[in-house]
Amino acid sequence: MSLLHVEQLKYRYPNRSVLALDEISFTVDKGEFIGIAGRNTAGKTTLCYALCGLVPHFFKGAYGGRVLLDGDEILASSLSRITSKVGFVFDNPFSQLSGAKFTVADEIAFGLENLGLPREVMHERIQESLHMLGIEHLRRKNPFDLSGGQMQRLAIASIIAMQPEILVLDEPTSQLDPQGAEEVFTIVEKLTQDGMTIVMAEKKMEKLAAYSDRILLLHDGKLIQDGEPAVVFSREDLMEMGVEPPIYTTVAKKYGLRKESSPFPVTLEELLAFEMDEPLDGLFPLQEKLETSHIHIEELSFSYSDGQKVLDSITLDLSSEPIAIVGQNGAGKTTLVKLMKALLIPSDGRIVIDETDTIDTTAAKLAKKVGLIFQNPDDQIFKKSILDEVMFGPLNMGITKAEAKSLALQQLKAVGLREKAEENPYDVSLAERKLIGVASILAMDPDIIIFDEPTMGQDYEGKLRLQEIIAGLHAKGKLVICILHDMDFVSEVFGRTIVVGQGKVLFDGTTKAAFSQLDIVQQAQIELPHRYQVARAIQQKREFAPRTS
Amino acid sequence: MRNMTLYVHLENGSPVHRMDPLTKMFYVFTSVVISYMLPTHLLVSIVLAVSILMLIIGKVFRSILPIIGVSFVLLASILVVQGFFHPDRATVLWDIGPFTLYKEGFSIAFLILLRVLNMVCAFGVLILTTKPDELVEALVQKGLSHRFGYVLLSVLQIIPQMMALTGKIMDAQRARGLEMEGSLWVRVKSFIPLLGPVVLRSLAETRERSIALEVRGFNSTGKRTRLHELPQYPYGTVAKTLLTSLLLFVIVWRIWL
Ligand SMILES: Nc1ncnc2c1ncn2[C@@H]1O[C@H](COP(=O)(O)OP(=O)(O)OP(=O)(O)O)[C@@H](O)[C@H]1O
Ligand SMILES: [Mg+2]
């Protein structure tokens, strides 16, 4: 008997007309690693909810079919019984905090206390999970004072410590630095060896391909295919469903590299079995330098109220072209851009935007000059409808309601949310909320636009849109600054990259040069863009290949 | 986001910090009750002085000031209402335009003021020097249901949590051009557009939180355990006995003697 058995599952959220899940059937055996792929709104999160009982026990609505967990029907079971077997990691780590604990270690303990574990066991598990996720140094910190990525690590740690039989993760690495993301996959794979079963929704297809046993491909609430990664990613119609296969598969498809009628390779190793060349065209573009606003940062230092130095005498000049900021979780990236927006005041040093020192102005006065899209979209949203949300900024600039509305609708169209303008922002997915944030800032047409992790949770289409938006802004003479953990996006869009680590600038120069310095890549916990990895691997293979003739 | 509680953390603690939560609760109860039973300004002042002394020993006196500041509006209105309008009007203390302040009313108002101040300070001793989770845990160990404990904990955090949430929304609004810094009028004006969002967001957060609690096994029916052992307070029994005797003494004295 399989551990999870899903049969003809159908579900519709209350007051909705479309099915979020439509006749889904599959089974999962103990110790399997199942990946869920699909574009935004495909139904990944809802499927996760259905596996851990939140659908139908918390989210009501129309429910049909059956989900059997270890033979017990989820519909008939109580939520607390289900959650004792199934652990669930949310897509937004902030929503997962208990709110009852005041240190990171105690937060992990919250779940363990509810399980009634003896004290020694709790201490052991806390230590172990802190160590696994690399957050031991934060154990005494208040969970609400963590950076986005640190919080995500905590969210994963606090569920892993509970050692559920089945672990369901909804995009658990969306805010992690690249090496952190890799670590999470390794950890999770190790857990499957100890018999834990994993179901993970993810956008990082290279990782899904490398780690999962099977992939469930969802589209519009339907299960399109349930199969091995190679088979699923070899589908011809993948892009039509808004899913980009792993880069390795894309390269292989381009050159027709596969053994007769077998699927295309999905990992780097498999790809390298073939002879080919991967020219780096399109990678590391050098952007045209234009006349833009200018940010001058001088000897900038900053500490939060706990006194720990987060930024340590940073000097930078930002202008002329789109700039990427990359680096490890907790490096101080978000803090840096909040300072640029005058939401925080430097402890030392100064930031001058065009002619204005941020100390002499206010965030509100800077609104027309600098727009900041927050890392956590929920921190940015406060209105009851998406349209109102986007109109808020323009209205503050003193234009008429009608004008504000037309501006807002125009921006909502640009991010692909025009149809949802009247909806409540809390009813759309995290990735869509992120786009609301983008639209609400762009509607004010500031001269400098700072994005804090815009690609977070975005699918192929969303990223393409962002890429267009950034190019359009640049062409209009705006200065675009982007914090990113997606190195592929960095290497395809930005000519200049700044690498920060532990409050310092480790590198500032062309994107190409940034990725040529392997020691810095290592130190900053980032990775090489996938296509660049391919090119390097081919080159290495050639150099080490025994020469014939 | 700032620290989510009113609790003041001290690196080395203080004698008051080390007191166990139950003893402190006993103290609050006794202090508040007897301040209302004692008849004279002098006696109530002594009770108040003890509370203030506790705050000073606990090194948190400065943190009570803003709270007193907040309750000042309430206190001032007591003074006004009682001072001007208390029915016992004999001795005129002051004439302000058409209004007259009477000594009797003022005296009673002053007594009430002392009592309210004492209440604020006594609660301050408890709230400022006790970790909220330990406070609630102490009650849960005495038989309070853990669900109610969580509710209590949320109540204790309402003010700091609202402050944190307000801070977040203010950041979001000022980032989009709503001026909140500057003159008093600007601040007052920016306060109104905050209210709706704060309510909206707290509702959304409450919903999220209840999902989070489910997922973390909060509603499981099994026995639960506790990571931290509550530190034993060696003088707990003595202190509680003393407080109880004092309370009984005052009751007996005021009612029968
Ligand atoms: N409100 C706060 N109070 C205290 N410390 C904070 C606060 N916010 C952030 N920090 C700390 O400051 C450091 C930098 O945080 P920041 O959010 O700038 O990191 P980041 O580079 O944006 O990380 P991420 O990639 O995870 O978003 C972290 O160590 C974090 O724990
Ligand atoms: Mg950040």
Side-chain angles (χ1 to χ4, degrees), chain A residues 241-283:
Chain A
M241 286 185 273
V243 177
E244 199 186 17
I247 307 261
Y248 313 121
T249 315
T250 313
V251 171
K253 278 184 183 167
K254 192 161 70 181
Y255 301 110
L257 305 175
R258 63 160 140 189
K259 300 209 177 75
E260 302 226 354
S261 75
S262 57
F264 287 105
V266 292
T267 63
L268 184 57
E269 290 70 43
E270 289 168 21
L271 179 65
L272 287 178
F274 295 92
E275 271 310 315
M276 47 144 193
D277 249 330
E278 169 62 358
L280 290 177
D281 53 335
L283 218 52

Side-chain angles (χ1 to χ4, degrees), chain A residues 137-138 141 144-151 175-177 304-306 308 310-311 327-336 338 375 452-453 483 485 500, chain B residues 1-2:
Chain A
H137 60 293
L138 302 171
K141 226 177 145 103
F144 290 95
D145 283 347
L146 298 178
S147 80
Q150 291 169 338
M151 213 181 263
Q175 298 183 53
L176 295 195
D177 54 53
Y304 285 99
S305 50
D306 58 3
Q308 192 204 345
V310 174
L311 295 177
Q328 167 177 19
N329 290 134
K333 304 179 294 297
T334 299
T335 310
L336 177 62
K338 279 192 177 165
Q375 179 168 357
D452 198 345
E453 298 190 23
I483 297 178
H485 287 308
V500 290
Chain B
M1 195 185 291
R2 220 143 325 123

